[in-house]
Amino acid sequence: MIVFGSQDPHVPAAARVEILSALYAAGLEDLELHVYAGGEHAFMRDVGARHDPVLTDLALTEAVSFFTAR
């Protein structure tokens, strides 16, 4: 499971596609890409102005679901 915020200036949309494509090319198929609208870089880190508790809770819930299913 890969998590990004849509407003992450360090990993823009084209880079996210490149990362996902490289993982598929390497033979990995059990992947999920989650891009959270409005999320900034490090939106899950609970310090600083970029922290988004709503998106963090959503991402953590989805991560638990992703890993529980395996």
Side-chain angles (χ1 to χ4, degrees):
M1 182 174 165
I2 306 165
V3 174
F4 292 109
S6 66
Q7 301 302 309
D8 186 339
H10 303 290
V11 190
R16 295 190 293 265
V17 170
E18 186 177 340
I19 291 166
L20 194 61
S21 295
L23 291 170
Y24 281 126
L28 300 173
E29 296 180 357
D30 188 15
L31 305 171
E32 285 185 14
L33 171 65
H34 295 258
V35 180
Y36 295 92
E40 297 185 50
H41 185 78
F43 72 86
M44 294 178 72
R45 191 173 63 185
D46 65 352
V47 295
R50 296 180 291 192
H51 179 240
D52 188 319
V54 173
L55 293 182
T56 297
D57 287 350
L58 180 58
L60 290 174
T61 298
E62 291 177 342
V64 169
S65 177
F66 177 81
F67 289 112
T68 301
R70 274 125 190 98

Tab-separated table of all heavy atoms in Angstrom:
chain	number	residue	atom	x	y	z
A	1	MET	N	0.850	-1.173	0.000
A	1	MET	CA	0.000	0.000	0.000
A	1	MET	C	0.888	1.226	0.000
A	1	MET	O	1.808	1.335	0.804
A	1	MET	CB	-0.908	-0.012	1.228
A	1	MET	CG	-1.842	1.137	1.272
A	1	MET	SD	-2.998	1.015	2.631
A	1	MET	CE	-3.582	2.683	2.638
A	2	ILE	N	0.608	2.118	-0.921
A	2	ILE	CA	1.397	3.335	-1.071
A	2	ILE	C	0.475	4.520	-0.815
A	2	ILE	O	-0.625	4.584	-1.364
A	2	ILE	CB	1.993	3.426	-2.487
A	2	ILE	CG1	2.783	2.152	-2.807
A	2	ILE	CG2	2.860	4.661	-2.628
A	2	ILE	CD1	3.085	1.992	-4.276
A	3	VAL	N	0.917	5.433	0.029
A	3	VAL	CA	0.082	6.565	0.445
A	3	VAL	C	0.768	7.873	0.076
A	3	VAL	O	1.934	8.081	0.409
A	3	VAL	CB	-0.146	6.518	1.976
A	3	VAL	CG1	-0.873	7.744	2.458
A	3	VAL	CG2	-0.885	5.256	2.366
A	4	PHE	N	0.023	8.737	-0.599
A	4	PHE	CA	0.505	10.078	-0.919
A	4	PHE	C	-0.617	11.077	-0.693
A	4	PHE	O	-1.788	10.743	-0.826
A	4	PHE	CB	0.943	10.197	-2.389
A	4	PHE	CG	2.158	9.412	-2.750
A	4	PHE	CD1	2.059	8.284	-3.548
A	4	PHE	CD2	3.406	9.799	-2.306
A	4	PHE	CE1	3.184	7.561	-3.891
A	4	PHE	CE2	4.537	9.080	-2.641
A	4	PHE	CZ	4.429	7.956	-3.435
A	5	GLY	N	-0.243	12.300	-0.409
A	5	GLY	CA	-1.191	13.401	-0.432
A	5	GLY	C	-1.163	14.023	-1.818
A	5	GLY	O	-0.098	14.103	-2.442
A	6	SER	N	-2.304	14.449	-2.299
A	6	SER	CA	-2.355	15.009	-3.654
A	6	SER	C	-1.587	16.319	-3.779
A	6	SER	O	-1.212	16.705	-4.884
A	6	SER	CB	-3.815	15.227	-4.077
A	6	SER	OG	-4.420	16.232	-3.282
A	7	GLN	N	-1.337	16.987	-2.662
A	7	GLN	CA	-0.629	18.269	-2.684
A	7	GLN	C	0.840	18.134	-2.271
A	7	GLN	O	1.465	19.111	-1.874
A	7	GLN	CB	-1.337	19.270	-1.766
A	7	GLN	CG	-2.780	19.534	-2.155
A	7	GLN	CD	-2.905	20.042	-3.569
A	7	GLN	OE1	-2.234	20.978	-3.974
A	7	GLN	NE2	-3.769	19.410	-4.347
A	8	ASP	N	1.378	16.919	-2.367
A	8	ASP	CA	2.773	16.673	-1.991
A	8	ASP	C	3.699	17.207	-3.081
A	8	ASP	O	3.752	16.646	-4.178
A	8	ASP	CB	2.995	15.178	-1.792
A	8	ASP	CG	4.375	14.845	-1.272
A	8	ASP	OD1	5.304	15.667	-1.418
A	8	ASP	OD2	4.543	13.755	-0.719
A	9	PRO	N	4.440	18.290	-2.818
A	9	PRO	CA	5.311	18.847	-3.852
A	9	PRO	C	6.560	18.006	-4.111
A	9	PRO	O	7.210	18.158	-5.135
A	9	PRO	CB	5.698	20.222	-3.288
A	9	PRO	CG	5.656	20.021	-1.808
A	9	PRO	CD	4.512	19.058	-1.574
A	10	HIS	N	6.868	17.088	-3.192
A	10	HIS	CA	8.052	16.246	-3.349
A	10	HIS	C	7.788	15.051	-4.260
A	10	HIS	O	8.725	14.486	-4.828
A	10	HIS	CB	8.544	15.761	-1.989
A	10	HIS	CG	8.861	16.868	-1.047
A	10	HIS	ND1	9.938	17.705	-1.210
A	10	HIS	CD2	8.206	17.302	0.060
A	10	HIS	CE1	9.949	18.607	-0.235
A	10	HIS	NE2	8.900	18.384	0.545
A	11	VAL	N	6.517	14.647	-4.358
A	11	VAL	CA	6.149	13.504	-5.189
A	11	VAL	C	4.903	13.879	-5.993
A	11	VAL	O	3.785	13.521	-5.641
A	11	VAL	CB	5.896	12.237	-4.338
A	11	VAL	CG1	5.758	11.027	-5.244
A	11	VAL	CG2	6.999	12.011	-3.322
A	12	PRO	N	5.091	14.612	-7.084
A	12	PRO	CA	3.946	15.019	-7.908
A	12	PRO	C	3.326	13.818	-8.626
A	12	PRO	O	3.873	12.714	-8.621
A	12	PRO	CB	4.555	16.013	-8.887
A	12	PRO	CG	6.003	15.679	-8.930
A	12	PRO	CD	6.360	15.113	-7.597
A	13	ALA	N	2.198	14.052	-9.253
A	13	ALA	CA	1.438	12.973	-9.893
A	13	ALA	C	2.287	12.140	-10.854
A	13	ALA	O	2.213	10.906	-10.843
A	13	ALA	CB	0.228	13.553	-10.612
A	14	ALA	N	3.088	12.774	-11.674
A	14	ALA	CA	3.910	12.026	-12.629
A	14	ALA	C	4.892	11.104	-11.917
A	14	ALA	O	5.145	9.977	-12.369
A	14	ALA	CB	4.658	12.988	-13.545
A	15	ALA	N	5.439	11.535	-10.812
A	15	ALA	CA	6.370	10.698	-10.042
A	15	ALA	C	5.639	9.526	-9.398
A	15	ALA	O	6.186	8.420	-9.321
A	15	ALA	CB	7.071	11.535	-8.983
A	16	ARG	N	4.409	9.752	-8.959
A	16	ARG	CA	3.625	8.655	-8.373
A	16	ARG	C	3.379	7.572	-9.419
A	16	ARG	O	3.497	6.377	-9.132
A	16	ARG	CB	2.313	9.183	-7.801
A	16	ARG	CG	2.528	10.119	-6.629
A	16	ARG	CD	1.246	10.463	-5.910
A	16	ARG	NE	0.293	11.250	-6.664
A	16	ARG	CZ	0.188	12.579	-6.609
A	16	ARG	NH1	1.005	13.273	-5.828
A	16	ARG	NH2	-0.733	13.201	-7.308
A	17	VAL	N	3.050	7.979	-10.630
A	17	VAL	CA	2.846	7.022	-11.723
A	17	VAL	C	4.143	6.269	-12.011
A	17	VAL	O	4.142	5.052	-12.216
A	17	VAL	CB	2.328	7.740	-12.987
A	17	VAL	CG1	2.341	6.811	-14.189
A	17	VAL	CG2	0.938	8.293	-12.744
A	18	GLU	N	5.247	6.983	-12.004
A	18	GLU	CA	6.553	6.357	-12.256
A	18	GLU	C	6.888	5.317	-11.191
A	18	GLU	O	7.367	4.220	-11.506
A	18	GLU	CB	7.630	7.436	-12.308
A	18	GLU	CG	8.985	6.945	-12.709
A	18	GLU	CD	10.006	8.063	-12.825
A	18	GLU	OE1	9.615	9.240	-12.971
A	18	GLU	OE2	11.204	7.746	-12.763
A	19	ILE	N	6.618	5.641	-9.939
A	19	ILE	CA	6.880	4.702	-8.840
A	19	ILE	C	6.026	3.451	-8.997
A	19	ILE	O	6.521	2.318	-8.916
A	19	ILE	CB	6.616	5.379	-7.478
A	19	ILE	CG1	7.675	6.449	-7.209
A	19	ILE	CG2	6.579	4.348	-6.345
A	19	ILE	CD1	7.323	7.394	-6.075
A	20	LEU	N	4.742	3.647	-9.217
A	20	LEU	CA	3.834	2.510	-9.370
A	20	LEU	C	4.217	1.658	-10.579
A	20	LEU	O	4.247	0.421	-10.492
A	20	LEU	CB	2.398	3.015	-9.491
A	20	LEU	CG	1.297	1.982	-9.319
A	20	LEU	CD1	1.358	1.345	-7.933
A	20	LEU	CD2	-0.049	2.608	-9.546
A	21	SER	N	4.553	2.295	-11.683
A	21	SER	CA	4.960	1.567	-12.890
A	21	SER	C	6.220	0.747	-12.638
A	21	SER	O	6.324	-0.400	-13.098
A	21	SER	CB	5.193	2.540	-14.044
A	21	SER	OG	3.990	3.175	-14.397
A	22	ALA	N	7.166	1.311	-11.913
A	22	ALA	CA	8.406	0.582	-11.609
A	22	ALA	C	8.137	-0.636	-10.733
A	22	ALA	O	8.751	-1.692	-10.928
A	22	ALA	CB	9.407	1.515	-10.938
A	23	LEU	N	7.224	-0.502	-9.800
A	23	LEU	CA	6.883	-1.640	-8.947
A	23	LEU	C	6.225	-2.749	-9.758
A	23	LEU	O	6.548	-3.928	-9.599
A	23	LEU	CB	5.982	-1.191	-7.796
A	23	LEU	CG	6.671	-0.296	-6.760
A	23	LEU	CD1	5.645	0.296	-5.798
A	23	LEU	CD2	7.728	-1.070	-5.996
A	24	TYR	N	5.292	-2.384	-10.647
A	24	TYR	CA	4.681	-3.382	-11.527
A	24	TYR	C	5.734	-4.022	-12.430
A	24	TYR	O	5.743	-5.236	-12.629
A	24	TYR	CB	3.561	-2.770	-12.363
A	24	TYR	CG	2.262	-2.602	-11.628
A	24	TYR	CD1	1.630	-1.370	-11.569
A	24	TYR	CD2	1.638	-3.682	-10.990
A	24	TYR	CE1	0.421	-1.209	-10.903
A	24	TYR	CE2	0.437	-3.526	-10.321
A	24	TYR	CZ	-0.170	-2.294	-10.284
A	24	TYR	OH	-1.357	-2.135	-9.627
A	25	ALA	N	6.625	-3.224	-12.980
A	25	ALA	CA	7.673	-3.739	-13.855
A	25	ALA	C	8.604	-4.699	-13.127
A	25	ALA	O	9.157	-5.624	-13.727
A	25	ALA	CB	8.476	-2.587	-14.460
A	26	ALA	N	8.742	-4.515	-11.810
A	26	ALA	CA	9.583	-5.392	-11.000
A	26	ALA	C	8.862	-6.690	-10.625
A	26	ALA	O	9.416	-7.533	-9.930
A	26	ALA	CB	10.037	-4.662	-9.741
A	27	GLY	N	7.622	-6.805	-11.069
A	27	GLY	CA	6.886	-8.040	-10.812
A	27	GLY	C	5.970	-8.008	-9.605
A	27	GLY	O	5.341	-9.006	-9.281
A	28	LEU	N	5.892	-6.886	-8.948
A	28	LEU	CA	4.991	-6.770	-7.799
A	28	LEU	C	3.586	-6.470	-8.307
A	28	LEU	O	3.393	-5.584	-9.137
A	28	LEU	CB	5.470	-5.669	-6.861
A	28	LEU	CG	6.876	-5.879	-6.292
A	28	LEU	CD1	7.323	-4.657	-5.527
A	28	LEU	CD2	6.916	-7.114	-5.415
A	29	GLU	N	2.609	-7.228	-7.831
A	29	GLU	CA	1.249	-7.042	-8.317
A	29	GLU	C	0.246	-6.755	-7.221
A	29	GLU	O	-0.848	-6.272	-7.493
A	29	GLU	CB	0.814	-8.273	-9.112
A	29	GLU	CG	1.642	-8.477	-10.362
A	29	GLU	CD	1.220	-9.693	-11.152
A	29	GLU	OE1	0.319	-10.414	-10.689
A	29	GLU	OE2	1.798	-9.919	-12.215
A	30	ASP	N	0.572	-7.084	-6.000
A	30	ASP	CA	-0.360	-6.890	-4.890
A	30	ASP	C	-0.147	-5.496	-4.309
A	30	ASP	O	0.407	-5.319	-3.232
A	30	ASP	CB	-0.132	-7.968	-3.834
A	30	ASP	CG	-1.187	-7.955	-2.747
A	30	ASP	OD1	-2.252	-7.324	-2.943
A	30	ASP	OD2	-0.959	-8.558	-1.686
A	31	LEU	N	-0.572	-4.491	-5.067
A	31	LEU	CA	-0.319	-3.094	-4.715
A	31	LEU	C	-1.611	-2.308	-4.674
A	31	LEU	O	-2.554	-2.603	-5.402
A	31	LEU	CB	0.588	-2.431	-5.750
A	31	LEU	CG	1.927	-3.084	-6.052
A	31	LEU	CD1	2.568	-2.410	-7.242
A	31	LEU	CD2	2.824	-3.020	-4.850
A	32	GLU	N	-1.617	-1.312	-3.836
A	32	GLU	CA	-2.686	-0.315	-3.843
A	32	GLU	C	-2.041	1.054	-3.705
A	32	GLU	O	-1.196	1.254	-2.842
A	32	GLU	CB	-3.653	-0.502	-2.673
A	32	GLU	CG	-4.602	-1.648	-2.821
A	32	GLU	CD	-5.609	-1.721	-1.694
A	32	GLU	OE1	-5.770	-0.746	-0.917
A	32	GLU	OE2	-6.243	-2.780	-1.571
A	33	LEU	N	-2.451	1.964	-4.556
A	33	LEU	CA	-2.007	3.351	-4.478
A	33	LEU	C	-3.169	4.178	-3.950
A	33	LEU	O	-4.273	4.109	-4.485
A	33	LEU	CB	-1.597	3.865	-5.859
A	33	LEU	CG	-1.308	5.367	-5.961
A	33	LEU	CD1	-0.095	5.740	-5.120
A	33	LEU	CD2	-1.117	5.773	-7.406
A	34	HIS	N	-2.917	4.927	-2.888
A	34	HIS	CA	-3.927	5.811	-2.311
A	34	HIS	C	-3.392	7.233	-2.353
A	34	HIS	O	-2.327	7.520	-1.805
A	34	HIS	CB	-4.231	5.422	-0.858
A	34	HIS	CG	-4.853	4.083	-0.733
A	34	HIS	ND1	-6.199	3.916	-0.522
A	34	HIS	CD2	-4.331	2.835	-0.789
A	34	HIS	CE1	-6.476	2.630	-0.448
A	34	HIS	NE2	-5.354	1.954	-0.615
A	35	VAL	N	-4.126	8.101	-3.018
A	35	VAL	CA	-3.770	9.514	-3.081
A	35	VAL	C	-4.905	10.275	-2.412
A	35	VAL	O	-6.047	10.233	-2.872
A	35	VAL	CB	-3.574	9.991	-4.535
A	35	VAL	CG1	-3.197	11.466	-4.553
A	35	VAL	CG2	-2.501	9.148	-5.232
A	36	TYR	N	-4.580	10.962	-1.322
A	36	TYR	CA	-5.585	11.640	-0.512
A	36	TYR	C	-5.688	13.106	-0.910
A	36	TYR	O	-4.721	13.863	-0.817
A	36	TYR	CB	-5.251	11.477	0.970
A	36	TYR	CG	-5.341	10.025	1.374
A	36	TYR	CD1	-4.234	9.195	1.328
A	36	TYR	CD2	-6.565	9.474	1.736
A	36	TYR	CE1	-4.317	7.858	1.650
A	36	TYR	CE2	-6.664	8.133	2.059
A	36	TYR	CZ	-5.542	7.330	2.015
A	36	TYR	OH	-5.640	5.996	2.328
A	37	ALA	N	-6.883	13.468	-1.382
A	37	ALA	CA	-7.132	14.825	-1.872
A	37	ALA	C	-6.839	15.851	-0.787
A	37	ALA	O	-7.334	15.750	0.334
A	37	ALA	CB	-8.580	14.960	-2.340
A	38	GLY	N	-5.999	16.805	-1.134
A	38	GLY	CA	-5.661	17.889	-0.229
A	38	GLY	C	-4.514	17.585	0.722
A	38	GLY	O	-4.003	18.488	1.374
A	39	GLY	N	-4.105	16.326	0.797
A	39	GLY	CA	-3.012	15.965	1.702
A	39	GLY	C	-1.686	16.510	1.218
A	39	GLY	O	-1.400	16.512	0.025
A	40	GLU	N	-0.893	16.981	2.150
A	40	GLU	CA	0.435	17.485	1.831
A	40	GLU	C	1.473	16.413	2.146
A	40	GLU	O	1.141	15.338	2.650
A	40	GLU	CB	0.716	18.745	2.639
A	40	GLU	CG	-0.230	19.893	2.305
A	40	GLU	CD	0.143	21.163	3.035
A	40	GLU	OE1	1.321	21.542	2.981
A	40	GLU	OE2	-0.752	21.748	3.654
A	41	HIS	N	2.739	16.717	1.877
A	41	HIS	CA	3.822	15.813	2.236
A	41	HIS	C	3.812	15.610	3.743
A	41	HIS	O	3.671	16.556	4.505
A	41	HIS	CB	5.163	16.409	1.775
A	41	HIS	CG	6.320	15.498	2.003
A	41	HIS	ND1	6.581	14.439	1.172
A	41	HIS	CD2	7.258	15.474	2.972
A	41	HIS	CE1	7.651	13.811	1.619
A	41	HIS	NE2	8.080	14.410	2.708
A	42	ALA	N	3.925	14.375	4.177
A	42	ALA	CA	3.969	14.023	5.604
A	42	ALA	C	2.677	14.375	6.335
A	42	ALA	O	2.703	14.686	7.518
A	42	ALA	CB	5.178	14.661	6.287
A	43	PHE	N	1.541	14.276	5.643
A	43	PHE	CA	0.275	14.644	6.287
A	43	PHE	C	-0.072	13.731	7.457
A	43	PHE	O	-0.881	14.085	8.305
A	43	PHE	CB	-0.883	14.673	5.278
A	43	PHE	CG	-1.339	13.327	4.782
A	43	PHE	CD1	-2.283	12.599	5.492
A	43	PHE	CD2	-0.850	12.799	3.603
A	43	PHE	CE1	-2.719	11.363	5.028
A	43	PHE	CE2	-1.281	11.577	3.126
A	43	PHE	CZ	-2.217	10.850	3.846
A	44	MET	N	0.552	12.557	7.545
A	44	MET	CA	0.272	11.633	8.646
A	44	MET	C	1.133	11.901	9.881
A	44	MET	O	0.836	11.391	10.953
A	44	MET	CB	0.454	10.184	8.190
A	44	MET	CG	-0.567	9.775	7.141
A	44	MET	SD	-0.339	8.096	6.537
A	44	MET	CE	-0.873	7.176	7.984
A	45	ARG	N	2.188	12.675	9.719
A	45	ARG	CA	3.050	12.984	10.861
A	45	ARG	C	2.306	13.960	11.765
A	45	ARG	O	1.821	14.995	11.316
A	45	ARG	CB	4.374	13.590	10.376
A	45	ARG	CG	5.401	13.675	11.486
A	45	ARG	CD	6.720	14.103	10.971
A	45	ARG	NE	6.611	15.445	10.411
A	45	ARG	CZ	7.580	16.064	9.785
A	45	ARG	NH1	8.727	15.453	9.592
A	45	ARG	NH2	7.417	17.277	9.333
A	46	ASP	N	2.210	13.631	13.029
A	46	ASP	CA	1.311	14.376	13.926
A	46	ASP	C	1.913	15.634	14.543
A	46	ASP	O	1.464	16.091	15.584
A	46	ASP	CB	0.757	13.463	15.015
A	46	ASP	CG	1.821	12.941	15.954
A	46	ASP	OD1	3.030	13.151	15.700
A	46	ASP	OD2	1.450	12.304	16.958
A	47	VAL	N	2.881	16.208	13.875
A	47	VAL	CA	3.421	17.501	14.303
A	47	VAL	C	3.503	18.417	13.083
A	47	VAL	O	3.694	17.965	11.970
A	47	VAL	CB	4.822	17.380	14.949
A	47	VAL	CG1	4.756	16.596	16.241
A	47	VAL	CG2	5.819	16.741	14.000
A	48	GLY	N	3.315	19.671	13.295
A	48	GLY	CA	3.460	20.630	12.215
A	48	GLY	C	2.163	20.941	11.498
A	48	GLY	O	1.141	20.272	11.668
A	49	ALA	N	2.241	21.951	10.682
A	49	ALA	CA	1.056	22.478	10.005
A	49	ALA	C	0.506	21.539	8.939
A	49	ALA	O	-0.661	21.635	8.572
A	49	ALA	CB	1.399	23.828	9.376
A	50	ARG	N	1.318	20.641	8.424
A	50	ARG	CA	0.858	19.753	7.354
A	50	ARG	C	0.015	18.590	7.859
A	50	ARG	O	-0.633	17.905	7.067
A	50	ARG	CB	2.044	19.211	6.566
A	50	ARG	CG	2.790	20.319	5.849
A	50	ARG	CD	3.956	19.778	5.083
A	50	ARG	NE	4.979	19.306	6.017
A	50	ARG	CZ	6.210	18.979	5.683
A	50	ARG	NH1	6.569	19.032	4.432
A	50	ARG	NH2	7.075	18.568	6.576
A	51	HIS	N	0.032	18.338	9.156
A	51	HIS	CA	-0.716	17.205	9.707
A	51	HIS	C	-2.203	17.351	9.411
A	51	HIS	O	-2.797	18.406	9.604
A	51	HIS	CB	-0.501	17.103	11.220
A	51	HIS	CG	-1.253	15.968	11.839
A	51	HIS	ND1	-2.187	16.159	12.814
A	51	HIS	CD2	-1.217	14.640	11.594
A	51	HIS	CE1	-2.695	14.991	13.168
A	51	HIS	NE2	-2.121	14.060	12.435
A	52	ASP	N	-2.801	16.273	8.926
A	52	ASP	CA	-4.236	16.241	8.655
A	52	ASP	C	-4.811	15.021	9.375
A	52	ASP	O	-4.701	13.895	8.887
A	52	ASP	CB	-4.503	16.159	7.155
A	52	ASP	CG	-5.970	16.313	6.820
A	52	ASP	OD1	-6.818	15.734	7.544
A	52	ASP	OD2	-6.280	16.990	5.834
A	53	PRO	N	-5.426	15.234	10.548
A	53	PRO	CA	-5.913	14.093	11.330
A	53	PRO	C	-7.018	13.306	10.639
A	53	PRO	O	-7.107	12.083	10.809
A	53	PRO	CB	-6.391	14.724	12.636
A	53	PRO	CG	-6.569	16.165	12.346
A	53	PRO	CD	-5.644	16.502	11.226
A	54	VAL	N	-7.848	13.945	9.856
A	54	VAL	CA	-8.926	13.237	9.156
A	54	VAL	C	-8.338	12.300	8.104
A	54	VAL	O	-8.699	11.116	8.030
A	54	VAL	CB	-9.927	14.235	8.528
A	54	VAL	CG1	-10.945	13.513	7.670
A	54	VAL	CG2	-10.620	15.048	9.621
A	55	LEU	N	-7.419	12.816	7.293
A	55	LEU	CA	-6.792	11.972	6.276
A	55	LEU	C	-5.938	10.878	6.915
A	55	LEU	O	-5.881	9.754	6.406
A	55	LEU	CB	-5.945	12.812	5.325
A	55	LEU	CG	-6.699	13.786	4.429
A	55	LEU	CD1	-5.725	14.516	3.504
A	55	LEU	CD2	-7.789	13.100	3.641
A	56	THR	N	-5.300	11.196	8.029
A	56	THR	CA	-4.493	10.203	8.735
A	56	THR	C	-5.361	9.042	9.190
A	56	THR	O	-5.015	7.870	8.983
A	56	THR	CB	-3.779	10.842	9.941
A	56	THR	OG1	-2.876	11.834	9.449
A	56	THR	CG2	-3.011	9.812	10.744
A	57	ASP	N	-6.494	9.343	9.809
A	57	ASP	CA	-7.396	8.277	10.259
A	57	ASP	C	-7.878	7.440	9.084
A	57	ASP	O	-7.946	6.204	9.175
A	57	ASP	CB	-8.590	8.858	11.013
A	57	ASP	CG	-8.230	9.369	12.398
A	57	ASP	OD1	-7.097	9.103	12.869
A	57	ASP	OD2	-9.086	10.039	13.013
A	58	LEU	N	-8.207	8.082	7.977
A	58	LEU	CA	-8.650	7.358	6.796
A	58	LEU	C	-7.542	6.447	6.270
A	58	LEU	O	-7.774	5.264	5.976
A	58	LEU	CB	-9.093	8.345	5.715
A	58	LEU	CG	-9.589	7.735	4.410
A	58	LEU	CD1	-10.767	6.809	4.632
A	58	LEU	CD2	-9.949	8.844	3.439
A	59	ALA	N	-6.343	6.978	6.163
A	59	ALA	CA	-5.216	6.196	5.650
A	59	ALA	C	-4.894	5.020	6.571
A	59	ALA	O	-4.626	3.909	6.094
A	59	ALA	CB	-3.987	7.083	5.472
A	60	LEU	N	-4.926	5.232	7.867
A	60	LEU	CA	-4.637	4.142	8.802
A	60	LEU	C	-5.715	3.068	8.748
A	60	LEU	O	-5.411	1.870	8.800
A	60	LEU	CB	-4.475	4.690	10.217
A	60	LEU	CG	-3.210	5.516	10.438
A	60	LEU	CD1	-3.211	6.136	11.832
A	60	LEU	CD2	-1.963	4.669	10.234
A	61	THR	N	-6.952	3.463	8.631
A	61	THR	CA	-8.041	2.492	8.504
A	61	THR	C	-7.867	1.662	7.241
A	61	THR	O	-8.020	0.434	7.257
A	61	THR	CB	-9.412	3.220	8.492
A	61	THR	OG1	-9.574	3.897	9.737
A	61	THR	CG2	-10.554	2.245	8.279
A	62	GLU	N	-7.540	2.319	6.142
A	62	GLU	CA	-7.333	1.600	4.892
A	62	GLU	C	-6.091	0.716	4.942
A	62	GLU	O	-6.076	-0.373	4.358
A	62	GLU	CB	-7.288	2.578	3.725
A	62	GLU	CG	-8.658	3.190	3.481
A	62	GLU	CD	-8.681	4.231	2.384
A	62	GLU	OE1	-7.616	4.763	2.008
A	62	GLU	OE2	-9.788	4.511	1.890
A	63	ALA	N	-5.059	1.138	5.652
A	63	ALA	CA	-3.855	0.312	5.796
A	63	ALA	C	-4.157	-0.949	6.591
A	63	ALA	O	-3.718	-2.047	6.216
A	63	ALA	CB	-2.737	1.116	6.461
A	64	VAL	N	-4.904	-0.812	7.664
A	64	VAL	CA	-5.273	-1.990	8.455
A	64	VAL	C	-6.079	-2.960	7.588
A	64	VAL	O	-5.835	-4.171	7.591
A	64	VAL	CB	-6.054	-1.583	9.727
A	64	VAL	CG1	-6.671	-2.800	10.396
A	64	VAL	CG2	-5.134	-0.856	10.700
A	65	SER	N	-7.011	-2.437	6.816
A	65	SER	CA	-7.806	-3.285	5.923
A	65	SER	C	-6.923	-3.973	4.886
A	65	SER	O	-7.064	-5.177	4.628
A	65	SER	CB	-8.869	-2.426	5.238
A	65	SER	OG	-9.608	-3.193	4.325
A	66	PHE	N	-6.003	-3.222	4.297
A	66	PHE	CA	-5.108	-3.769	3.281
A	66	PHE	C	-4.282	-4.920	3.857
A	66	PHE	O	-4.205	-5.997	3.269
A	66	PHE	CB	-4.195	-2.661	2.757
A	66	PHE	CG	-3.174	-3.132	1.762
A	66	PHE	CD1	-3.511	-3.324	0.435
A	66	PHE	CD2	-1.863	-3.369	2.148
A	66	PHE	CE1	-2.568	-3.758	-0.500
A	66	PHE	CE2	-0.910	-3.797	1.241
A	66	PHE	CZ	-1.262	-3.990	-0.087
A	67	PHE	N	-3.678	-4.705	5.009
A	67	PHE	CA	-2.799	-5.717	5.585
A	67	PHE	C	-3.572	-6.872	6.212
A	67	PHE	O	-3.085	-8.010	6.220
A	67	PHE	CB	-1.826	-5.093	6.577
A	67	PHE	CG	-0.785	-4.249	5.903
A	67	PHE	CD1	-0.767	-2.882	6.069
A	67	PHE	CD2	0.161	-4.817	5.058
A	67	PHE	CE1	0.189	-2.092	5.431
A	67	PHE	CE2	1.112	-4.051	4.412
A	67	PHE	CZ	1.128	-2.675	4.600
A	68	THR	N	-4.750	-6.630	6.714
A	68	THR	CA	-5.568	-7.698	7.290
A	68	THR	C	-6.015	-8.684	6.210
A	68	THR	O	-6.159	-9.869	6.474
A	68	THR	CB	-6.793	-7.108	8.007
A	68	THR	OG1	-6.341	-6.221	9.034
A	68	THR	CG2	-7.645	-8.182	8.646
A	69	ALA	N	-6.231	-8.178	5.018
A	69	ALA	CA	-6.688	-9.029	3.910
A	69	ALA	C	-5.602	-9.940	3.351
A	69	ALA	O	-5.872	-10.795	2.516
A	69	ALA	CB	-7.244	-8.142	2.788
A	70	ARG	N	-4.362	-9.799	3.820
A	70	ARG	CA	-3.273	-10.608	3.279
A	70	ARG	C	-2.905	-11.736	4.180
A	70	ARG	O	-2.918	-11.883	5.239
A	70	ARG	CB	-2.055	-9.731	2.989
A	70	ARG	CG	-2.198	-9.146	1.612
A	70	ARG	CD	-2.091	-7.625	1.611
A	70	ARG	NE	-2.475	-7.134	0.306
A	70	ARG	CZ	-3.687	-6.670	0.040
A	70	ARG	NH1	-4.608	-6.625	0.948
A	70	ARG	NH2	-3.976	-6.232	-1.159
